[in-house]
Amino acid sequence: MQQHTTVIDKAAMALSGGLMLLGVVVLGIVEILAGKPYSAAPLTNDAGEIIATPMIDPTLRTGLVLAGILVLALYGLYKLVVPMENEATTAQQEITAD
Amino acid sequence: MSYQAANPLADEFELELGGAWTAYWLAFLRVVTGWWFFHAGVTKLIEDGLAYTYGPAYLRQMTGTALGPIPVLMGEHLGWLIQAMVPLGETLIGLGLMVGALVRLASVFGVFFMSLFWIGNAEFGHGLVNSDFMGLLLFMTMIVLATGRYYGLDAIIEKTKLVKRHPKLRYLLG
């Protein structure tokens, strides 16, 4: 089946994918390069004291991922609101027939 | 030889969305994801009924997250609703996925639940990608691939006159 993607489709894919990959992968690489802790949680010693904190606040990283999900949610709502492709085609054909 | 950006495996493996192995695997993944939530919900219903008090308490401790004050406000002002909706919602989401009915709609709520679990648990000791996040991605996969159409009731529901008259319902089914 041939699928037709519009500018909106491509923008939704690029923006949501970009935001989510930025939060997870890109800033994850930055976190590794910044040294310990390599993950998004503080590093503690045996006594439970924090000895190193993440360079990038996990709130920022999770926020970017949530923003990506929000873009997809808005795209879903947009698809619910705009006429479907075959509906539009049918309407156009009706106009032509008149 | 043509290159298909949408399905680069088409020439070698025939991994089509309508193919037998794809259908088998997507249906399996859907049922297991559904069972995961159904089990979580129904055990809460058995233990606490519609008064799951940990729900609002969990939200109230979600301070300083990317969601700002939203979870805390929900926990403080919608406690009665959350006590009922956590066990009921998890059970219904799980049931929907297992039988393959209203899968996309159920999965939207699944994404909502998993976002709160992922952010609220904040167990990022092994990185941002933890089991909660993978669960969130599973629900998003259900939406993107419309897995209810594979051995699910949505495949039948989508053939009804109602859905044919209102094709946009397929955005909630499938």
Side-chain angles (χ1 to χ4, degrees), chain B:
Chain B
M1 193 176 126
S2 64
Y3 175 74
Q4 294 185 43
N7 187 5
L9 294 175
D11 288 342
E12 298 94 31
F13 196 61
E14 294 292 332
L15 191 64
E16 294 170 8
L17 279 179
W21 278 101
T22 315
Y24 150 77
W25 186 249
L26 291 179
F28 172 76
L29 209 57
R30 191 196 73 229
V31 173
V32 172
T33 308
W35 170 253
W36 173 40
F37 252 55
F38 176 76
H39 179 268
V42 85
T43 49
K44 288 183 184 82
L45 279 177
I46 293 165
E47 286 293 312
D48 303 305
L50 295 175
Y52 182 63
T53 51
Y54 180 67
Y58 174 84
L59 290 173
R60 282 196 297 269
Q61 58 84 36
M62 281 181 68
T63 51
T65 69
L67 291 169
I70 297 169
V72 178
L73 288 173
M74 281 169 65
E76 282 174 356
H77 300 290
L78 297 172
W80 55 275
L81 184 68
I82 287 153
Q83 284 185 24
M85 284 317 291
V86 169
L88 205 58
E90 285 181 342
T91 306
L92 290 175
I93 290 166
L95 266 180
L97 261 68
M98 280 199 294
V99 301
L102 286 165
V103 166
R104 280 177 158 163
L105 180 66
S107 297
V108 166
F109 289 109
V111 169
F112 177 70
F113 270 76
M114 288 315 302
S115 299
L116 290 171
F117 296 158
W118 180 53
I119 301 287
N121 288 337
E123 289 169 354
F124 305 134
H126 295 288
L128 217 63
V129 180
N130 56 17
S131 56
D132 285 333
F133 187 64
M134 296 310 286
L136 195 160
L137 292 185
L138 270 176
F139 278 111
M140 289 176 74
T141 305
M142 300 296 131
I143 298 170
V144 173
L145 296 182
T147 58
R149 291 173 189 166
Y150 303 94
Y151 302 108
L153 289 180
D154 280 339
I156 300 165
I157 298 168
E158 287 190 345
K159 286 177 185 156
T160 59
K161 282 179 185 169
L162 177 72
V163 179
K164 286 205 165 105
R165 269 204 308 272
H166 306 283
K168 276 193 181 173
L169 284 172
R170 282 187 289 156
Y171 290 139
L172 306 177
L173 298 159

Side-chain angles (χ1 to χ4, degrees), chain A residues 37-58:
Chain A
Y38 300 120
S39 63
L43 197 67
T44 54
N45 60 16
D46 291 341
E49 296 160 336
I50 294 171
I51 53 172
T53 51
M55 181 190 155
I56 299 156
D57 190 347

